[in-house]
Amino acid sequence: MTERAGQGSFSIRGVEVQFPFKPYDCQLSYMEAVITALQTKKNALLESPTGTGKTLCLLCATLSWRESLRGELVARAAQAEEEQRKVEAMPAEEVSTARRLRADLQQLAAEKASTENLPTIIYASRTHSQLKQVIGELKRTRFAKGLKTTVLSSRQQMCRHRVVQQIQGSVLNLGCKSLVSKRACKWYNNTEKYVNGREEDVNNSVLDIEDLIKIGDHKTVCPYYLSRSLTSKADLIFLPYNYLIDAKTRTGLGINWENSVVIFDEAHNIESVCSGSAS
């Protein structure tokens, strides 16, 4: 592990980690454990005393590792292109071999060059107030610029329909679904058009629940459905524990779990959430 003194950038296990300030030794050890787990594709159970900046360490280590993968993909794509040029220069008598290799290389280049193959980071915490603090930490880092994020919440917190938002509990969900099915909610109807027309503007910055609600009020779009429409292209998704633990909710999120990294912050609360979900 090497560090460039005086800068918020240092190397851990070959990953250039971006950090807002010079880290303490305990923070370096924590980030090394995070990156080791990511590189070896292992689960990790980590703890750190209160006040040691573990949230910032989790975010910076994980996002720096993810960014290092982007560099690897670009390098592999460049190598594939070089090999393709060699194939195209093959003699005519080797044309059948050249065609076969060219097809293989084109497929490899397409797969490796696509940043869509980068894993999605799922960051879960117990409450939305805790997630708000995490998002605040993220905004302090250089990753806040250009990172596609979304935060998932309930209709109870995000609904802007003046009648439906007065309803409580599961009845609110039913009322929302009824209006949506009839396309009788202007907030929902405007969301798809807004996302398709302005996706880069909406999803190219770090958003918290308040940001989504402000967008909803200003543009007359539904924050609840807006947050979910951004999930498919998000680099980082924030959500509460129960969205992952409840099987029905988890299935409806539309997340590619085969290519994702799941972080449970404040994990000592998971047992009680699992118990509540199963009851």
Side-chain angles (χ1 to χ4, degrees), residues 79-90:
Q79 181 181 4
E81 290 174 359
E82 177 61 27
E83 292 298 324
Q84 184 171 331
R85 283 193 290 269
K86 293 179 181 179
V87 167
E88 290 173 347
M90 286 178 134

Side-chain angles (χ1 to χ4, degrees), residues 1 32 78 101 118 157 167 173 185 192 212 225 230 237 279:
M1 182 192 332
E32 183 173 9
L101 291 175
L118 293 174
Q157 287 190 297
I167 307 172
N173 292 336
C185 175
E192 183 177 359
L212 289 167
Y225 283 102
L230 300 176
I237 301 172
S279 62

Side-chain angles (χ1 to χ4, degrees), residues 30-228:
Y30 193 92
M31 287 187 281
E32 183 173 9
V34 173
I35 291 173
T36 298
L38 292 168
Q39 289 179 333
T40 57
K41 299 183 178 181
K42 301 292 185 181
N43 295 326
L45 182 61
L46 307 174
E47 62 178 344
S48 186
T50 301
T52 54
K54 70 178 186 316
T55 297
L56 196 59
C57 290
L58 269 172
L59 289 169
C60 290
T62 303
L63 292 172
S64 293
W65 165 80
R66 185 181 186 274
E67 193 164 285
S68 73
L69 298 182
R70 188 191 307 274
E72 292 178 11
L73 293 178
V74 172
R76 291 175 186 174
Q79 181 181 4
E81 290 174 359
E82 177 61 27
E83 292 298 324
Q84 184 171 331
R85 283 193 290 269
K86 293 179 181 179
V87 167
E88 290 173 347
M90 286 178 134
E93 59 269 19
E94 300 180 25
V95 66
S96 61
T97 301
R99 286 175 178 171
R100 186 176 69 253
L101 291 175
R102 186 181 297 115
D104 292 342
L105 289 169
Q106 286 175 339
Q107 181 178 357
L108 176 64
E111 291 176 354
K112 298 304 182 182
S114 175
T115 57
E116 293 181 1
N117 289 331
L118 293 174
T120 302
I121 310 301
I122 315 296
Y123 199 109
S125 195
R126 188 170 63 90
T127 66
H128 282 103
S129 61
Q130 290 173 337
L131 287 175
K132 183 177 180 179
Q133 294 175 2
V134 175
I135 294 171
E137 289 288 299
L138 177 60
K139 289 181 178 180
R140 298 171 56 193
T141 72
R142 78 162 193 81
F143 298 104
K145 184 177 181 179
L147 188 70
K148 295 182 182 296
T149 72
T150 189
V151 54
L152 303 184
S153 185
S154 64
R155 288 179 173 87
Q156 282 81 358
Q157 287 190 297
M158 288 187 160
C159 180
R160 311 314 294 156
H161 193 284
R162 287 179 172 77
V163 175
V164 176
Q165 68 180 189
Q166 302 301 319
I167 307 172
Q168 299 297 318
S170 59
V171 180
L172 183 149
N173 292 336
L174 293 174
C176 170
K177 291 177 181 178
S178 175
L179 290 177
V180 167
S181 66
K182 300 172 184 176
R183 300 202 57 91
C185 175
K186 66 178 181 180
W187 306 85
Y188 171 79
N189 294 343
N190 291 338
T191 301
E192 183 177 359
K193 180 180 179 181
Y194 177 70
V195 170
N196 290 339
R198 297 288 302 279
E199 184 172 356
E200 289 301 321
D201 293 339
V202 176
N203 202 24
N204 211 28
S205 62
V206 177
L207 301 173
D208 58 24
I209 293 175
E210 288 75 14
D211 294 326
L212 289 167
I213 289 175
K214 287 178 182 177
I215 293 172
D217 289 341
H218 183 59
K219 299 295 184 180
T220 315
V221 297
C222 175
Y224 175 82
Y225 283 102
L226 175 61
S227 67
R228 277 155 175 73

